[in-house]
Amino acid sequence: MITAVYPGSFDPATYGHLDIIRRASVSFDRIIVGVLNNSAKSPLFSVEERVNILKEATRDLDNVTIVSFNGLSVNFAREHHAQVIVRGLRAVTDFEYELQMAQTNRVLAPDVDTVFLTTRLEYAYVSSTIMKEVAKFGGDLKSFAPKEIADALVEKIKRDKC
Ligand code: ADP
């Protein structure tokens, strides 16, 4: 049985993230999505909110579990007896950072492998950061995330402005 972890900020989740989770859930027996609880990144959504958003968006996937975590991805992987860390790749710009992270993780935990899934072309431009920018200026979010996530984002931005 191969368990994979998929760590990230997911602030909030996008179609890009959801596509990686769905595809990984076909390739591996069990996927544990790890929502990083890192206040240094000052996320817009709390870790509980980010976990709940992902739980709701993946509720039809039986082998996917969503949890929060702190610290190193390799420790998170080991805690869950995962053999694999899944990461998504959109462009060359992702690749440089992701390769360095994967190499660092190999040094820290030679028994855990990083597997990259390349983005589907239609989601290559999608990122949480860009989606938040579009939301701030009232743009249409339908190509970034499902309606429930887009609505939660609009609501959050409205509240932050008050
Ligand atoms: P992090 O802060 O760890 O980069 P993110 O939430 O931004 O967290 O992303 C988590 C993972 O999902 C990363 O591997 C990132 O490259 C990948 N990812 C994000 N958006 C997409 C997308 N549109 N297509 C494919 N992978 C993506």
Side-chain angles (χ1 to χ4, degrees), residues 55-113:
K55 276 188 179 166
E56 194 53 34
T58 59
R59 64 181 187 280
D60 60 316
L61 301 174
D62 292 341
N63 62 341
V64 173
T65 309
I66 318 290
V67 296
S68 63
F69 80 104
N70 286 295
L72 294 174
S73 296
V74 285
N75 291 345
F76 173 61
R78 281 188 167 146
E79 228 173 82
H80 291 277
H81 308 287
Q83 299 90 331
V84 170
I85 296 176
V86 169
R87 296 284 291 174
L89 282 180
R90 280 162 294 195
V92 205
T93 40
D94 277 345
F95 180 74
E96 276 190 37
Y97 172 76
E98 293 292 344
L99 180 65
Q100 196 177 13
M101 276 310 299
Q103 288 169 339
T104 305
N105 287 339
R106 173 162 299 288
V107 171
L108 294 174
D111 50 321
V112 178
D113 248 314

Side-chain angles (χ1 to χ4, degrees), residues 6 8-10 16-17 20 41 87-88 90 94 98 119 123 126:
Y6 177 33
S9 306
F10 307 106
H17 296 127
I20 297 288
K41 274 201 165 182
R87 296 284 291 174
R90 280 162 294 195
D94 277 345
E98 293 292 344
T119 184
Y123 302 141
V126 172

Side-chain angles (χ1 to χ4, degrees), residues 18-39:
L18 297 175
D19 177 56
I20 297 288
I21 295 172
R22 202 163 287 278
R23 284 160 56 205
S25 78
V26 175
S27 301
F28 302 104
D29 299 302
R30 212 158 62 104
I31 307 294
I32 316 221
V33 180
V35 179
L36 184 62
N37 188 5
N38 179 359
S39 50

